[in-house]
Amino acid sequence: SHILSGYVRMTDTERDQIDQDAQIFMRTCADAIHQLRTEAQKGVQSSQVKEHRTAVLDFIEDYLKRVCKLYSEQRAIRVKQVIDKKRL
């Protein structure tokens, strides 16, 4: 408990701002991946290079999806806690 004694709790406004920033960031990342995928298809290169770029972009997109899922799960916990507090 002495470790947490200096801990300052975040306000709901701060949490809401973090949520908003996170959503904007995830959307920006998804758009960037889409643009990279479009550019990768336009370029003239060997099939091996195309396969490599596609695989890398698939990996990055999958990673972003996992991060988004984790974010959604954490946000759901926060919403549940807010609802539980209002019930008390």
Side-chain angles (χ1 to χ4, degrees), residues 1-65:
S1 66
H2 69 281
I3 294 172
L4 298 177
S5 62
Y7 177 72
V8 178
R9 296 188 74 140
M10 287 191 328
T11 65
D12 286 337
T13 303
E14 290 171 326
R15 286 186 184 97
D16 291 341
Q17 184 62 50
I18 290 171
D19 283 344
Q20 184 180 7
D21 292 346
Q23 289 176 356
I24 291 168
F25 183 74
M26 289 183 285
R27 211 173 302 121
T28 301
C29 288
D31 291 344
I33 292 168
H34 178 72
Q35 286 177 339
L36 284 170
R37 196 174 294 278
T38 301
E39 289 176 23
Q41 297 301 322
K42 287 181 185 177
V44 178
Q45 66 264 128
S46 70
S47 62
Q48 186 177 13
V49 171
K50 281 185 180 183
E51 287 178 29
H52 172 73
R53 288 182 180 173
T54 298
V56 169
L57 289 168
D58 287 347
F59 174 76
I60 293 170
E61 189 172 46
D62 180 61
Y63 184 79
L64 178 61
K65 285 178 184 177

Side-chain angles (χ1 to χ4, degrees), residues 70-87:
L70 179 62
Y71 165 77
S72 295
E73 290 169 356
Q74 290 176 342
R75 188 164 181 200
I77 291 170
R78 179 177 165 223
V79 169
K80 183 182 181 303
Q81 289 173 342
V82 169
I83 291 171
D84 289 346
K85 281 182 184 178
K86 288 183 179 181
R87 286 183 184 165

